[in-house]
Amino acid sequence: MPKVTVDGQEIDAPDGATVLQACEMAGKEIPRFCYHERLSIAGNCRMCLVEVKPGPPKPQASCALPATEGQEIRTDTQMVKTAREGVMEFLLINHPLDCPICDQGGECDLQDQAMAYGRGGTRYEMNKRAVTEKYMGPLIKTIMTRCIHCTRCVRFSEEIAGVDEIGALYRGEDMQITTYLEQAAEHELSANVIDLCPVGALTSRPYAFEARPWELKKTLSIDVSDAVGANITLYSKGREVMRALPRINDDVNEEWVSDKGRYQVDGLMRRRLDRVFVRREGKLQPASWDEAFGLIADAKPGNSIAAVAGDLVDCETMFAAKSLLGALGSDMLEGRQTGMDYDVSSLAAVNFNSTLAGIETADAILILGSQIRHEAPLVNVRLRKAAKRGAKIFVAGPEWDPTYPVTWLGEDLKFLNRIPKELGDAMKDAERPAVILGGAALAQGALGPARKLVDKFGLVKDGWNGFNVLHMSAARMGGLMLGFAQKGGMADIVSAKPKVLLSLGADEMDYAPFEGSLKVYIGHHGDRGAHAADVVLPAASFAEKDGTYVNTEGRVQFAEKAVFAPGDAREDWTIIRALADALGVSVGFDSFAELQAAMISQVPALGEESLADYGALPKADGGAKADGTISHYPIADFYLTNPIARASATMQQCSAELLGPELQEAAE
């Protein structure tokens, strides 16, 4: 560890650290535009200048200079101050005075650093250059005259997303950042370049001219569009969520979020259920709460009642429903609404045990039946890091573009019965081998045969567990912890023919087999579940209530209430509590705090925001044989996987523009 001196303060810098990192360790703020902790070093903005001895008698770019033993670094000399003022003056030579109408105003790095490190005037009197706008798709608004050529967007696309879509043309003053042939940026993480852009060159197209940052209320929340549980902040104004931005959490999403998690929030205000409906003469008609509850009570369900949880439901709602059914003497609970049925006797066997951060360190990975870019884009970012470190990756299933080199094993799962030599050798030679099982493989009954690979490949070692199941539903692991899984899956509930079916936002299930049941839908959007229901009870979305979610790695996280639900919509647990009164049973709670306390007393792991301990992996069934083929993946349209996204005009536009030709081609 080299010893360096920063403004008279001696510190031990880590091996391989740069001068900029050493200065930050000493508590010094170094201005920068091109440097970013998660991107490669470009060294082209020159804003991070410092004075270093021994060395040439001139300022040096600290982001690209290694920290070495005995360096004396000065960040506050007149030379440094004058140099930074000069760099800022050059950056502003061609920058337009757009601050009053720029969406980056109030959270702009250039604005802030011009105030802190710039001069009070300009000596430039010639004409400014202008750059034509570039089209980067329905999500990214470009005003490239503002671009300062930091190349953060280029490096993100190439290094993090793995999609070489953004680059630079020409040289010097004529240099321009653009997409290839000015086409839309077509990947699931494209809008992260908006957060990275230090000026207003790349801003949010759907959010353009909607609000200023100081007008908005911030609420900590969780992205429910997939099972990764990315940490986000919801920005709201009045009763409307205006935007969602990622929060830094290195264990989950680092500082990225998928385009769907970011932009589906405009669907929170559209196609909402804001009043009670009951079906009369084949049509849903407005009704009162009392009438709806009376209709359910008249069905006299007794213990012939089932509850199916949707993909966006919080743990508190599921526990409330479980308490209601328990009071009625029923245990017909299911969260796998599309009909999947797999062994859930051990949660360790259906968990992402390597953890999201840990999968980066795997050196041989087998992906079974998962189109990870659509099912969990942020996990694909982690796998790309593993591939860059030298990991060998094998994929079983229909081919897709993974953004890193892979070996394809075909669509037939029978290879699990007799492992190909290349796969076997790679796994046995690996120090940290891993298997990732996706939804398509679970649907084909591959969980049992895949568990045999634990012993065959030595997936479990000291400090390492390489057996992973990648779920797609934000509610899945929480539901499994609360017992929302029948041994026979949805088929058992269908065969039981319940008098009342309680649908908790279950919009992906098939309601046809429940024709003889009274279908009660508790949800927030007029989607498939509401269309099939006999009674519609309007509920709150994830942004309109406090709730606990568990991601695919078993990490318990809490989302806070950002806004109030519209119209007559109520928080889900209050609806279930009122329904209990209508049915004449007691559920044991009268407030959210009591409900949460009861849930935590039954499942203590849900009371602590950390990784839940599911114990050791059980022994695999030695007789399990793999059969069948993976002909397709569960997600056909990445942008329209849940009722909020389907109500979003932005997601509909993305689907039509970015996936339209691809989906039509697949349909043919």
PDB file of all heavy atoms in Angstrom, residues 222-223 226-232 247-256 355-357 360 378-379 381-382 551-553 555-557 611:
ATOM      1  N   ILE A 222     -39.005  -0.259  -4.031  1.00  0.00           N
ATOM      2  CA  ILE A 222     -38.402  -1.433  -4.652  1.00  0.00           C
ATOM      3  C   ILE A 222     -39.032  -1.630  -6.025  1.00  0.00           C
ATOM      4  O   ILE A 222     -40.246  -1.499  -6.181  1.00  0.00           O
ATOM      5  CB  ILE A 222     -38.627  -2.702  -3.780  1.00  0.00           C
ATOM      6  CG1 ILE A 222     -38.050  -2.512  -2.378  1.00  0.00           C
ATOM      7  CG2 ILE A 222     -38.030  -3.940  -4.445  1.00  0.00           C
ATOM      8  CD1 ILE A 222     -36.557  -2.303  -2.330  1.00  0.00           C
ATOM      9  N   ASP A 223     -38.206  -1.959  -7.014  1.00  0.00           N
ATOM     10  CA  ASP A 223     -38.708  -2.240  -8.361  1.00  0.00           C
ATOM     11  C   ASP A 223     -39.382  -3.616  -8.356  1.00  0.00           C
ATOM     12  O   ASP A 223     -38.751  -4.628  -8.041  1.00  0.00           O
ATOM     13  CB  ASP A 223     -37.535  -2.219  -9.347  1.00  0.00           C
ATOM     14  CG  ASP A 223     -37.934  -2.683 -10.741  1.00  0.00           C
ATOM     15  OD1 ASP A 223     -39.131  -2.609 -11.067  1.00  0.00           O
ATOM     16  OD2 ASP A 223     -37.045  -3.129 -11.496  1.00  0.00           O
ATOM     17  N   ASP A 226     -39.474  -7.173 -11.825  1.00  0.00           N
ATOM     18  CA  ASP A 226     -38.888  -8.513 -11.905  1.00  0.00           C
ATOM     19  C   ASP A 226     -38.513  -8.944 -10.490  1.00  0.00           C
ATOM     20  O   ASP A 226     -38.869  -8.281  -9.517  1.00  0.00           O
ATOM     21  CB  ASP A 226     -37.685  -8.555 -12.854  1.00  0.00           C
ATOM     22  CG  ASP A 226     -36.580  -7.562 -12.459  1.00  0.00           C
ATOM     23  OD1 ASP A 226     -36.434  -7.282 -11.250  1.00  0.00           O
ATOM     24  OD2 ASP A 226     -35.862  -7.077 -13.355  1.00  0.00           O
ATOM     25  N   ALA A 227     -37.807 -10.072 -10.369  1.00  0.00           N
ATOM     26  CA  ALA A 227     -37.527 -10.626  -9.046  1.00  0.00           C
ATOM     27  C   ALA A 227     -36.187 -10.187  -8.475  1.00  0.00           C
ATOM     28  O   ALA A 227     -35.792 -10.654  -7.410  1.00  0.00           O
ATOM     29  CB  ALA A 227     -37.581 -12.162  -9.107  1.00  0.00           C
ATOM     30  N   VAL A 228     -35.484  -9.271  -9.162  1.00  0.00           N
ATOM     31  CA  VAL A 228     -34.187  -8.812  -8.666  1.00  0.00           C
ATOM     32  C   VAL A 228     -34.366  -7.877  -7.473  1.00  0.00           C
ATOM     33  O   VAL A 228     -33.540  -7.850  -6.562  1.00  0.00           O
ATOM     34  CB  VAL A 228     -33.389  -8.123  -9.799  1.00  0.00           C
ATOM     35  CG1 VAL A 228     -32.128  -7.461  -9.261  1.00  0.00           C
ATOM     36  CG2 VAL A 228     -33.041  -9.128 -10.869  1.00  0.00           C
ATOM     37  N   GLY A 229     -35.458  -7.119  -7.455  1.00  0.00           N
ATOM     38  CA  GLY A 229     -35.712  -6.211  -6.337  1.00  0.00           C
ATOM     39  C   GLY A 229     -34.796  -5.017  -6.331  1.00  0.00           C
ATOM     40  O   GLY A 229     -34.283  -4.609  -5.271  1.00  0.00           O
ATOM     41  N   ALA A 230     -34.552  -4.422  -7.510  1.00  0.00           N
ATOM     42  CA  ALA A 230     -33.681  -3.247  -7.594  1.00  0.00           C
ATOM     43  C   ALA A 230     -34.188  -2.139  -6.681  1.00  0.00           C
ATOM     44  O   ALA A 230     -35.388  -1.899  -6.583  1.00  0.00           O
ATOM     45  CB  ALA A 230     -33.614  -2.750  -9.046  1.00  0.00           C
ATOM     46  N   ASN A 231     -33.262  -1.478  -6.001  1.00  0.00           N
ATOM     47  CA  ASN A 231     -33.610  -0.371  -5.112  1.00  0.00           C
ATOM     48  C   ASN A 231     -33.846   0.884  -5.939  1.00  0.00           C
ATOM     49  O   ASN A 231     -32.981   1.293  -6.727  1.00  0.00           O
ATOM     50  CB  ASN A 231     -32.490  -0.113  -4.110  1.00  0.00           C
ATOM     51  CG  ASN A 231     -32.352  -1.226  -3.078  1.00  0.00           C
ATOM     52  OD1 ASN A 231     -31.836  -1.017  -1.995  1.00  0.00           O
ATOM     53  ND2 ASN A 231     -32.803  -2.425  -3.401  1.00  0.00           N
ATOM     54  N   ILE A 232     -35.003   1.500  -5.789  1.00  0.00           N
ATOM     55  CA  ILE A 232     -35.336   2.698  -6.558  1.00  0.00           C
ATOM     56  C   ILE A 232     -35.857   3.788  -5.631  1.00  0.00           C
ATOM     57  O   ILE A 232     -36.229   3.523  -4.479  1.00  0.00           O
ATOM     58  CB  ILE A 232     -36.390   2.407  -7.659  1.00  0.00           C
ATOM     59  CG1 ILE A 232     -37.690   1.873  -7.040  1.00  0.00           C
ATOM     60  CG2 ILE A 232     -35.842   1.449  -8.701  1.00  0.00           C
ATOM     61  CD1 ILE A 232     -38.824   1.702  -8.042  1.00  0.00           C
ATOM     62  N   ARG A 247     -31.446   3.586  -6.875  1.00  0.00           N
ATOM     63  CA  ARG A 247     -30.633   3.905  -5.699  1.00  0.00           C
ATOM     64  C   ARG A 247     -29.425   2.977  -5.693  1.00  0.00           C
ATOM     65  O   ARG A 247     -29.489   1.857  -6.196  1.00  0.00           O
ATOM     66  CB  ARG A 247     -31.418   3.670  -4.405  1.00  0.00           C
ATOM     67  CG  ARG A 247     -32.403   4.752  -4.057  1.00  0.00           C
ATOM     68  CD  ARG A 247     -33.000   4.479  -2.678  1.00  0.00           C
ATOM     69  NE  ARG A 247     -33.972   3.407  -2.675  1.00  0.00           N
ATOM     70  CZ  ARG A 247     -34.015   2.430  -1.784  1.00  0.00           C
ATOM     71  NH1 ARG A 247     -33.115   2.368  -0.825  1.00  0.00           N
ATOM     72  NH2 ARG A 247     -34.952   1.504  -1.846  1.00  0.00           N
ATOM     73  N   ILE A 248     -28.334   3.432  -5.121  1.00  0.00           N
ATOM     74  CA  ILE A 248     -27.125   2.602  -5.086  1.00  0.00           C
ATOM     75  C   ILE A 248     -27.282   1.508  -4.039  1.00  0.00           C
ATOM     76  O   ILE A 248     -27.562   1.779  -2.870  1.00  0.00           O
ATOM     77  CB  ILE A 248     -25.874   3.454  -4.780  1.00  0.00           C
ATOM     78  CG1 ILE A 248     -25.630   4.460  -5.905  1.00  0.00           C
ATOM     79  CG2 ILE A 248     -24.649   2.565  -4.595  1.00  0.00           C
ATOM     80  CD1 ILE A 248     -24.466   5.401  -5.654  1.00  0.00           C
ATOM     81  N   ASN A 249     -27.133   0.262  -4.463  1.00  0.00           N
ATOM     82  CA  ASN A 249     -27.049  -0.883  -3.564  1.00  0.00           C
ATOM     83  C   ASN A 249     -26.166  -1.913  -4.256  1.00  0.00           C
ATOM     84  O   ASN A 249     -26.605  -2.630  -5.153  1.00  0.00           O
ATOM     85  CB  ASN A 249     -28.431  -1.471  -3.269  1.00  0.00           C
ATOM     86  CG  ASN A 249     -28.380  -2.563  -2.209  1.00  0.00           C
ATOM     87  OD1 ASN A 249     -27.360  -3.254  -2.054  1.00  0.00           O
ATOM     88  ND2 ASN A 249     -29.459  -2.746  -1.460  1.00  0.00           N
ATOM     89  N   ASP A 250     -24.908  -1.979  -3.860  1.00  0.00           N
ATOM     90  CA  ASP A 250     -23.943  -2.840  -4.547  1.00  0.00           C
ATOM     91  C   ASP A 250     -24.319  -4.311  -4.482  1.00  0.00           C
ATOM     92  O   ASP A 250     -23.910  -5.097  -5.340  1.00  0.00           O
ATOM     93  CB  ASP A 250     -22.541  -2.643  -3.953  1.00  0.00           C
ATOM     94  CG  ASP A 250     -21.930  -1.310  -4.357  1.00  0.00           C
ATOM     95  OD1 ASP A 250     -22.340  -0.774  -5.401  1.00  0.00           O
ATOM     96  OD2 ASP A 250     -21.066  -0.795  -3.625  1.00  0.00           O
ATOM     97  N   ASP A 251     -25.092  -4.706  -3.478  1.00  0.00           N
ATOM     98  CA  ASP A 251     -25.466  -6.114  -3.343  1.00  0.00           C
ATOM     99  C   ASP A 251     -26.589  -6.511  -4.284  1.00  0.00           C
ATOM    100  O   ASP A 251     -26.789  -7.697  -4.552  1.00  0.00           O
ATOM    101  CB  ASP A 251     -25.895  -6.414  -1.900  1.00  0.00           C
ATOM    102  CG  ASP A 251     -24.747  -6.290  -0.922  1.00  0.00           C
ATOM    103  OD1 ASP A 251     -23.606  -6.584  -1.328  1.00  0.00           O
ATOM    104  OD2 ASP A 251     -24.979  -5.887   0.229  1.00  0.00           O
ATOM    105  N   VAL A 252     -27.360  -5.546  -4.770  1.00  0.00           N
ATOM    106  CA  VAL A 252     -28.535  -5.880  -5.583  1.00  0.00           C
ATOM    107  C   VAL A 252     -28.394  -5.342  -7.005  1.00  0.00           C
ATOM    108  O   VAL A 252     -28.161  -6.088  -7.948  1.00  0.00           O
ATOM    109  CB  VAL A 252     -29.834  -5.344  -4.930  1.00  0.00           C
ATOM    110  CG1 VAL A 252     -31.061  -5.763  -5.746  1.00  0.00           C
ATOM    111  CG2 VAL A 252     -29.969  -5.879  -3.508  1.00  0.00           C
ATOM    112  N   ASN A 253     -28.532  -4.043  -7.164  1.00  0.00           N
ATOM    113  CA  ASN A 253     -28.577  -3.466  -8.510  1.00  0.00           C
ATOM    114  C   ASN A 253     -27.422  -2.522  -8.811  1.00  0.00           C
ATOM    115  O   ASN A 253     -27.432  -1.854  -9.849  1.00  0.00           O
ATOM    116  CB  ASN A 253     -29.904  -2.708  -8.710  1.00  0.00           C
ATOM    117  CG  ASN A 253     -30.095  -1.605  -7.685  1.00  0.00           C
ATOM    118  OD1 ASN A 253     -30.073  -1.836  -6.482  1.00  0.00           O
ATOM    119  ND2 ASN A 253     -30.280  -0.371  -8.151  1.00  0.00           N
ATOM    120  N   GLU A 254     -26.413  -2.471  -7.929  1.00  0.00           N
ATOM    121  CA  GLU A 254     -25.324  -1.498  -8.054  1.00  0.00           C
ATOM    122  C   GLU A 254     -25.947  -0.099  -8.136  1.00  0.00           C
ATOM    123  O   GLU A 254     -26.442   0.379  -7.134  1.00  0.00           O
ATOM    124  CB  GLU A 254     -24.449  -1.836  -9.266  1.00  0.00           C
ATOM    125  CG  GLU A 254     -23.781  -3.203  -9.123  1.00  0.00           C
ATOM    126  CD  GLU A 254     -22.968  -3.582 -10.324  1.00  0.00           C
ATOM    127  OE1 GLU A 254     -23.557  -3.946 -11.355  1.00  0.00           O
ATOM    128  OE2 GLU A 254     -21.728  -3.530 -10.225  1.00  0.00           O
ATOM    129  N   GLU A 255     -25.960   0.530  -9.323  1.00  0.00           N
ATOM    130  CA  GLU A 255     -26.692   1.797  -9.421  1.00  0.00           C
ATOM    131  C   GLU A 255     -27.489   1.849 -10.726  1.00  0.00           C
ATOM    132  O   GLU A 255     -27.769   2.917 -11.263  1.00  0.00           O
ATOM    133  CB  GLU A 255     -25.758   3.001  -9.323  1.00  0.00           C
ATOM    134  CG  GLU A 255     -24.682   3.094 -10.360  1.00  0.00           C
ATOM    135  CD  GLU A 255     -23.767   4.298 -10.120  1.00  0.00           C
ATOM    136  OE1 GLU A 255     -22.785   4.150  -9.348  1.00  0.00           O
ATOM    137  OE2 GLU A 255     -24.054   5.361 -10.671  1.00  0.00           O
ATOM    138  N   TRP A 256     -27.875   0.651 -11.209  1.00  0.00           N
ATOM    139  CA  TRP A 256     -28.625   0.573 -12.462  1.00  0.00           C
ATOM    140  C   TRP A 256     -30.067   0.118 -12.196  1.00  0.00           C
ATOM    141  O   TRP A 256     -30.376  -0.413 -11.132  1.00  0.00           O
ATOM    142  CB  TRP A 256     -27.962  -0.412 -13.430  1.00  0.00           C
ATOM    143  CG  TRP A 256     -26.471  -0.389 -13.472  1.00  0.00           C
ATOM    144  CD1 TRP A 256     -25.620  -1.422 -13.247  1.00  0.00           C
ATOM    145  CD2 TRP A 256     -25.619   0.740 -13.761  1.00  0.00           C
ATOM    146  NE1 TRP A 256     -24.311  -1.032 -13.377  1.00  0.00           N
ATOM    147  CE2 TRP A 256     -24.279   0.290 -13.688  1.00  0.00           C
ATOM    148  CE3 TRP A 256     -25.867   2.075 -14.076  1.00  0.00           C
ATOM    149  CZ2 TRP A 256     -23.191   1.131 -13.920  1.00  0.00           C
ATOM    150  CZ3 TRP A 256     -24.786   2.915 -14.300  1.00  0.00           C
ATOM    151  CH2 TRP A 256     -23.469   2.448 -14.224  1.00  0.00           C
ATOM    152  N   THR A 355     -26.025 -15.557  -4.573  1.00  0.00           N
ATOM    153  CA  THR A 355     -26.342 -14.133  -4.425  1.00  0.00           C
ATOM    154  C   THR A 355     -26.035 -13.406  -5.736  1.00  0.00           C
ATOM    155  O   THR A 355     -25.228 -13.865  -6.551  1.00  0.00           O
ATOM    156  CB  THR A 355     -25.604 -13.426  -3.264  1.00  0.00           C
ATOM    157  OG1 THR A 355     -24.222 -13.290  -3.586  1.00  0.00           O
ATOM    158  CG2 THR A 355     -25.777 -14.177  -1.965  1.00  0.00           C
ATOM    159  N   LEU A 356     -26.665 -12.289  -5.928  1.00  0.00           N
ATOM    160  CA  LEU A 356     -26.513 -11.536  -7.176  1.00  0.00           C
ATOM    161  C   LEU A 356     -25.085 -11.020  -7.332  1.00  0.00           C
ATOM    162  O   LEU A 356     -24.516 -11.059  -8.426  1.00  0.00           O
ATOM    163  CB  LEU A 356     -27.510 -10.374  -7.205  1.00  0.00           C
ATOM    164  CG  LEU A 356     -28.988 -10.774  -7.117  1.00  0.00           C
ATOM    165  CD1 LEU A 356     -29.871  -9.533  -7.066  1.00  0.00           C
ATOM    166  CD2 LEU A 356     -29.386 -11.661  -8.282  1.00  0.00           C
ATOM    167  N   ALA A 357     -24.509 -10.533  -6.241  1.00  0.00           N
ATOM    168  CA  ALA A 357     -23.128 -10.046  -6.313  1.00  0.00           C
ATOM    169  C   ALA A 357     -22.156 -11.210  -6.447  1.00  0.00           C
ATOM    170  O   ALA A 357     -21.135 -11.117  -7.135  1.00  0.00           O
ATOM    171  CB  ALA A 357     -22.799  -9.215  -5.074  1.00  0.00           C
ATOM    172  N   GLU A 360     -20.931 -12.946  -9.915  1.00  0.00           N
ATOM    173  CA  GLU A 360     -19.842 -12.330 -10.687  1.00  0.00           C
ATOM    174  C   GLU A 360     -18.538 -13.109 -10.542  1.00  0.00           C
ATOM    175  O   GLU A 360     -17.688 -13.077 -11.422  1.00  0.00           O
ATOM    176  CB  GLU A 360     -19.582 -10.898 -10.202  1.00  0.00           C
ATOM    177  CG  GLU A 360     -20.657  -9.902 -10.511  1.00  0.00           C
ATOM    178  CD  GLU A 360     -20.291  -8.517  -9.968  1.00  0.00           C
ATOM    179  OE1 GLU A 360     -19.112  -8.321  -9.605  1.00  0.00           O
ATOM    180  OE2 GLU A 360     -21.163  -7.646  -9.927  1.00  0.00           O
ATOM    181  N   LEU A 378     -30.516  -7.095 -14.880  1.00  0.00           N
ATOM    182  CA  LEU A 378     -29.410  -6.740 -13.988  1.00  0.00           C
ATOM    183  C   LEU A 378     -28.568  -7.952 -13.618  1.00  0.00           C
ATOM    184  O   LEU A 378     -27.399  -7.809 -13.262  1.00  0.00           O
ATOM    185  CB  LEU A 378     -29.953  -6.059 -12.733  1.00  0.00           C
ATOM    186  CG  LEU A 378     -30.649  -4.715 -13.002  1.00  0.00           C
ATOM    187  CD1 LEU A 378     -31.358  -4.209 -11.769  1.00  0.00           C
ATOM    188  CD2 LEU A 378     -29.661  -3.678 -13.504  1.00  0.00           C
ATOM    189  N   VAL A 379     -29.147  -9.160 -13.691  1.00  0.00           N
ATOM    190  CA  VAL A 379     -28.352 -10.375 -13.489  1.00  0.00           C
ATOM    191  C   VAL A 379     -27.465 -10.606 -14.713  1.00  0.00           C
ATOM    192  O   VAL A 379     -26.329 -11.067 -14.598  1.00  0.00           O
ATOM    193  CB  VAL A 379     -29.263 -11.596 -13.225  1.00  0.00           C
ATOM    194  CG1 VAL A 379     -28.444 -12.874 -13.149  1.00  0.00           C
ATOM    195  CG2 VAL A 379     -30.048 -11.405 -11.931  1.00  0.00           C
ATOM    196  N   VAL A 381     -26.068  -8.328 -16.410  1.00  0.00           N
ATOM    197  CA  VAL A 381     -24.912  -7.442 -16.212  1.00  0.00           C
ATOM    198  C   VAL A 381     -23.858  -8.142 -15.357  1.00  0.00           C
ATOM    199  O   VAL A 381     -22.654  -8.068 -15.636  1.00  0.00           O
ATOM    200  CB  VAL A 381     -25.360  -6.121 -15.549  1.00  0.00           C
ATOM    201  CG1 VAL A 381     -24.156  -5.305 -15.091  1.00  0.00           C
ATOM    202  CG2 VAL A 381     -26.215  -5.304 -16.509  1.00  0.00           C
ATOM    203  N   ARG A 382     -24.308  -8.845 -14.314  1.00  0.00           N
ATOM    204  CA  ARG A 382     -23.379  -9.576 -13.443  1.00  0.00           C
ATOM    205  C   ARG A 382     -22.691 -10.709 -14.210  1.00  0.00           C
ATOM    206  O   ARG A 382     -21.488 -10.942 -14.053  1.00  0.00           O
ATOM    207  CB  ARG A 382     -24.143 -10.161 -12.250  1.00  0.00           C
ATOM    208  CG  ARG A 382     -24.943  -9.162 -11.433  1.00  0.00           C
ATOM    209  CD  ARG A 382     -24.099  -8.471 -10.411  1.00  0.00           C
ATOM    210  NE  ARG A 382     -24.906  -7.739  -9.456  1.00  0.00           N
ATOM    211  CZ  ARG A 382     -24.404  -7.046  -8.433  1.00  0.00           C
ATOM    212  NH1 ARG A 382     -23.106  -6.991  -8.251  1.00  0.00           N
ATOM    213  NH2 ARG A 382     -25.187  -6.396  -7.596  1.00  0.00           N
ATOM    214  N   ASN A 551     -36.543 -10.710  -2.745  1.00  0.00           N
ATOM    215  CA  ASN A 551     -36.089 -10.913  -4.126  1.00  0.00           C
ATOM    216  C   ASN A 551     -35.634 -12.354  -4.354  1.00  0.00           C
ATOM    217  O   ASN A 551     -35.698 -13.198  -3.457  1.00  0.00           O
ATOM    218  CB  ASN A 551     -35.011  -9.890  -4.507  1.00  0.00           C
ATOM    219  CG  ASN A 551     -33.657 -10.183  -3.885  1.00  0.00           C
ATOM    220  OD1 ASN A 551     -33.498 -11.077  -3.055  1.00  0.00           O
ATOM    221  ND2 ASN A 551     -32.648  -9.437  -4.296  1.00  0.00           N
ATOM    222  N   THR A 552     -35.165 -12.628  -5.548  1.00  0.00           N
ATOM    223  CA  THR A 552     -34.876 -14.010  -5.936  1.00  0.00           C
ATOM    224  C   THR A 552     -33.726 -14.626  -5.156  1.00  0.00           C
ATOM    225  O   THR A 552     -33.593 -15.844  -5.113  1.00  0.00           O
ATOM    226  CB  THR A 552     -34.593 -14.080  -7.458  1.00  0.00           C
ATOM    227  OG1 THR A 552     -34.572 -15.429  -7.889  1.00  0.00           O
ATOM    228  CG2 THR A 552     -33.278 -13.401  -7.807  1.00  0.00           C
ATOM    229  N   GLU A 553     -32.882 -13.815  -4.515  1.00  0.00           N
ATOM    230  CA  GLU A 553     -31.793 -14.342  -3.694  1.00  0.00           C
ATOM    231  C   GLU A 553     -32.190 -14.429  -2.221  1.00  0.00           C
ATOM    232  O   GLU A 553     -31.356 -14.694  -1.365  1.00  0.00           O
ATOM    233  CB  GLU A 553     -30.540 -13.471  -3.853  1.00  0.00           C
ATOM    234  CG  GLU A 553     -30.729 -12.046  -3.387  1.00  0.00           C
ATOM    235  CD  GLU A 553     -29.477 -11.175  -3.471  1.00  0.00           C
ATOM    236  OE1 GLU A 553     -28.382 -11.726  -3.694  1.00  0.00           O
ATOM    237  OE2 GLU A 553     -29.604  -9.960  -3.299  1.00  0.00           O
ATOM    238  N   ARG A 555     -33.455 -11.904  -0.373  1.00  0.00           N
ATOM    239  CA  ARG A 555     -33.159 -10.656   0.344  1.00  0.00           C
ATOM    240  C   ARG A 555     -34.473  -9.945   0.673  1.00  0.00           C
ATOM    241  O   ARG A 555     -35.245  -9.597  -0.220  1.00  0.00           O
ATOM    242  CB  ARG A 555     -32.257  -9.743  -0.480  1.00  0.00           C
ATOM    243  CG  ARG A 555     -31.791  -8.493   0.267  1.00  0.00           C
ATOM    244  CD  ARG A 555     -30.847  -7.674  -0.587  1.00  0.00           C
ATOM    245  NE  ARG A 555     -29.667  -8.413  -0.965  1.00  0.00           N
ATOM    246  CZ  ARG A 555     -28.580  -8.546  -0.195  1.00  0.00           C
ATOM    247  NH1 ARG A 555     -28.542  -7.980   1.005  1.00  0.00           N
ATOM    248  NH2 ARG A 555     -27.542  -9.236  -0.618  1.00  0.00           N
ATOM    249  N   VAL A 556     -34.719  -9.737   1.943  1.00  0.00           N
ATOM    250  CA  VAL A 556     -35.941  -9.069   2.404  1.00  0.00           C
ATOM    251  C   VAL A 556     -35.731  -7.561   2.312  1.00  0.00           C
ATOM    252  O   VAL A 556     -34.748  -7.019   2.836  1.00  0.00           O
ATOM    253  CB  VAL A 556     -36.269  -9.480   3.856  1.00  0.00           C
ATOM    254  CG1 VAL A 556     -37.533  -8.775   4.341  1.00  0.00           C
ATOM    255  CG2 VAL A 556     -36.435 -11.000   3.958  1.00  0.00           C
ATOM    256  N   GLN A 557     -36.671  -6.860   1.642  1.00  0.00           N
ATOM    257  CA  GLN A 557     -36.559  -5.420   1.450  1.00  0.00           C
ATOM    258  C   GLN A 557     -37.925  -4.770   1.667  1.00  0.00           C
ATOM    259  O   GLN A 557     -38.954  -5.401   1.461  1.00  0.00           O
ATOM    260  CB  GLN A 557     -36.041  -5.101   0.041  1.00  0.00           C
ATOM    261  CG  GLN A 557     -34.697  -5.747  -0.273  1.00  0.00           C
ATOM    262  CD  GLN A 557     -34.147  -5.323  -1.621  1.00  0.00           C
ATOM    263  OE1 GLN A 557     -33.152  -4.606  -1.699  1.00  0.00           O
ATOM    264  NE2 GLN A 557     -34.754  -5.765  -2.700  1.00  0.00           N
ATOM    265  N   LEU A 611     -30.451 -10.957   3.923  1.00  0.00           N
ATOM    266  CA  LEU A 611     -30.659 -12.243   3.272  1.00  0.00           C
ATOM    267  C   LEU A 611     -31.269 -13.229   4.262  1.00  0.00           C
ATOM    268  O   LEU A 611     -30.755 -13.414   5.367  1.00  0.00           O
ATOM    269  CB  LEU A 611     -29.330 -12.797   2.745  1.00  0.00           C
ATOM    270  CG  LEU A 611     -28.752 -12.138   1.490  1.00  0.00           C
ATOM    271  CD1 LEU A 611     -27.341 -12.656   1.221  1.00  0.00           C
ATOM    272  CD2 LEU A 611     -29.640 -12.402   0.279  1.00  0.00           C
TER     273      LEU A 611
END
